[in-house]
Amino acid sequence: MAAAAVRDSLLHQAAPETKSSAENLALGYSDYDVDGMLRPCNKPFDVRDEAGAPGSVYYLCRWDTMPSGWKELLTEPKGGALSLWPFSGATTYRFAVPDKSKILGRAPDWVLLAENPLRQEQDHLRTVVWSLVGAVAFITAVASASAWYAAGRVLRPMEAIRAEFAQLSTHHLDRHVPLPRTDNEINRLGRTLNTTLDRLYAAVEQQQRFVADASHELRTPLASLRAELELALAQPATTDWPRTVRDALGDTLRLQRLTTDLLLLARLDAHTHDTRPATDEHVDLTDLVRDEIARRHPPSHIALTLHLGNAPAHGPVLVYGHSTLLARVLENLLDNAERHATSTITVRLTHLPDQQRAVLEVRDDGPGIPPQHHARVFERFTRLDDARAKDSGGAGLGLALAHYITTLHHGTLHVTDSPCGAHLTAYLPTVTVAP
């Protein structure tokens, strides 16, 4: 754009200058009798004058011998083009001026032919073009160097993050990627990666603990079952075979229950999206609790009591979810209560329609849960000291499963303070179905 503006400016200056010089020369030659001094126009004399435009050439010829193609120049000049390409030349600017006698309508009539090759203008334009090319090349080089330097500074933290991330493995997930000092997108990316690494590290740690605890829990009943069978086979004559079979059956049932819990936990962990409550399945907690209580057969010294509270008065207590999983929550809570209860277990279901949630409570009159262990009892494979005996202690998965399933149903399960025994309370959101 700058070179084109310079070109137009040079042409605008050269055209009137050539025209004015040619007109002045034509008027000057008309004052002399130059007849006979001029040859035919095919071999004209070169008339030069200091008053002419720089670099221009002027020819004086008769009107009748003027070359073809010049007559139209009497009204409009032609040519006069400058090239922006530095290796090209200019197009000659041509102009024809009649002398004063022609202007006055008298003979003889002469015509002054003017040619301006625009060499000076083209040289000037060429200098401008080369200057612009040099300036553009210099600016481009400076901009490229600055961009390269800036990109290097910006991408250096990215390279550090990439190098650190490439060295990570399952044995070094506790490492973090370096963070740049500036608070920018790269810093936020690094923080996101570190947060993801922390979650991944916690998940791997949980999986490793799960495998170790599961192996330990499975080893104990297997070792007990093997010892009982080996002792019975070593002394078959003195072995009480009915008792041995009952003990073996008890260990087998314990293994079955433990294996079922482990499989359920693995399925919930691996396919959480498949086990979340379906929005089109309504479960009536009132019927579910009644069926589970009717199915239970607690020990003879324990009385199991059900209180439905205000649930029947407000109709069915409906929740979104899977009936099998919700029944597993109550089953695990009752199993835990039976292991620790002294004489009574109380189950209460209350509906809070104004809060749109149901409250399921399971109480026992056992030793209770110390306050410092209220959150810990919902961790996997957690057993308190008084629950480690083989006969009464579980594997530490019942409450963890109940808590996990309740969370999947967008509810909560926690230990409520109680003056006597354990009091576990589950809150589940309810739904209202139009009649």
Side-chain angles (χ1 to χ4, degrees):
M1 297 297 293
V6 173
R7 177 193 61 187
D8 296 341
S9 176
L10 291 174
L11 284 176
H12 290 162
Q13 293 177 4
E17 183 178 1
T18 303
K19 180 179 179 181
S20 176
S21 300
E23 290 176 347
N24 291 335
L25 287 174
L27 293 176
Y29 275 108
S30 65
D31 294 336
Y32 300 94
D33 185 7
V34 294
D35 190 16
M37 295 177 57
L38 297 178
R39 298 178 182 179
C41 195
N42 54 354
K43 294 181 180 180
F45 281 96
D46 185 359
V47 180
R48 300 179 184 270
D49 192 273
E50 294 180 357
S56 298
V57 179
Y58 302 90
Y59 304 93
L60 189 63
C61 65
R62 293 181 181 275
W63 174 265
D64 54 354
T65 60
M66 186 171 57
S68 61
W70 281 80
K71 291 184 178 181
E72 61 269 21
L73 299 182
L74 293 172
T75 57
E76 184 69 25
K78 287 188 177 181
L82 297 177
S83 176
L84 293 177
W85 181 246
F87 301 103
S88 299
T91 301
T92 302
Y93 179 83
R94 294 181 177 183
F95 188 70
V97 182
D99 65 354
K100 186 170 62 176
S101 61
K102 177 63 178 177
I103 297 175
L104 298 177
R106 294 183 292 108
D109 49 352
W110 303 90
V111 177
L112 185 66
L113 308 181
E115 290 186 349
N116 188 352
L118 303 176
R119 284 192 294 268
Q120 292 184 354
E121 289 79 1
Q122 183 64 48
D123 292 340
H124 187 190
L125 180 61
R126 187 177 293 112
T127 302
V128 172
V129 170
W130 280 119
S131 300
L132 291 176
V133 170
V136 170
F138 176 76
I139 294 174
T140 302
V142 172
S144 300
S146 302
W148 178 82
Y149 178 75
R153 287 181 58 87
V154 171
L155 295 179
R156 193 175 298 118
M158 292 288 293
E159 175 61 22
I161 292 175
R162 186 207 62 80
E164 183 67 22
F165 206 79
Q167 298 178 3
L168 294 178
S169 64
T170 54
H171 301 289
H172 300 89
L173 291 178
D174 56 336
R175 300 173 60 175
H176 286 174
V177 298
L179 298 178
R181 297 178 180 178
T182 56
D183 186 12
N184 53 15
E185 290 78 4
I186 299 179
N187 184 282
R188 291 191 288 272
L189 174 62
R191 293 201 302 266
T192 302
L193 289 177
N194 287 336
T195 303
T196 303
L197 288 174
D198 291 339
R199 291 199 297 264
L200 184 60
Y201 178 71
V204 172
E205 285 285 308
Q206 181 181 2
Q207 184 181 16
Q208 291 176 350
R209 288 195 302 268
F210 177 79
V211 173
D213 293 338
S215 301
H216 175 74
E217 294 296 332
L218 289 173
R219 186 187 301 114
T220 301
L222 285 175
S224 176
L225 179 60
R226 177 180 178 181
E228 292 171 356
L229 295 178
E230 287 179 347
L231 288 175
L233 291 176
Q235 300 176 353
T238 59
T239 299
D240 185 357
W241 286 103
R243 179 181 177 181
T244 301
V245 172
R246 283 194 301 270
D247 292 341
L249 179 60
D251 289 333
T252 303
L253 293 176
R254 184 182 178 190
L255 276 173
Q256 182 182 8
R257 180 62 180 269
L258 179 59
T259 304
T260 302
D261 290 343
L262 291 175
L263 290 176
L264 180 58
L265 277 176
R267 183 166 64 89
L268 292 176
D269 287 338
H271 304 286
T272 303
H273 60 279
D274 294 334
T275 56
R276 288 191 182 276
T279 56
D280 57 350
E281 183 178 353
H282 295 161
V283 179
D284 186 359
L285 283 183
T286 305
D287 293 340
L288 186 145
V289 171
R290 284 172 175 168
D291 294 342
E292 184 62 26
I293 295 299
R295 189 181 62 84
R296 300 289 299 192
H297 298 285
S300 57
H301 66 281
I302 296 178
L304 179 59
T305 307
L306 172 62
H307 296 281
L308 293 179
N310 63 344
H314 293 86
V317 183
L318 300 179
V319 298
Y320 286 135
H322 297 276
S323 59
T324 303
L325 294 179
L326 292 173
R328 187 62 181 275
V329 172
L330 181 56
E331 179 183 356
N332 289 2
L333 295 180
L334 290 175
D335 288 343
N336 179 77
E338 286 183 5
R339 278 195 296 268
H340 303 92
T342 301
S343 59
T344 60
I345 298 176
T346 303
V347 178
R348 180 182 295 273
L349 177 63
T350 306
H351 185 202
L352 305 177
D354 54 337
Q355 302 180 14
Q356 291 188 344
R357 63 176 181 171
V359 183
L360 178 61
E361 302 172 84
V362 177
R363 296 187 181 187
D364 64 70
D365 59 349
I369 302 175
Q372 64 270 22
H373 298 307
H374 282 186
R376 182 169 167 262
V377 293
F378 298 114
E379 298 177 0
R380 300 177 184 182
F381 300 105
T382 297
R383 293 181 297 180
L384 304 183
D385 293 338
D386 60 352
R388 294 187 181 275
K390 172 186 172 183
D391 295 335
S392 61
L397 291 178
L399 294 182
L401 267 174
H403 184 271
Y404 197 170
I405 295 173
T406 305
T407 303
L408 287 178
H409 287 75
H410 308 289
T412 59
L413 175 62
H414 62 270
V415 179
T416 304
D417 294 332
S418 176
C420 178
H423 182 188
L424 288 97
T425 306
Y427 293 92
L428 292 170
T430 59
V431 294
T432 302
V433 180

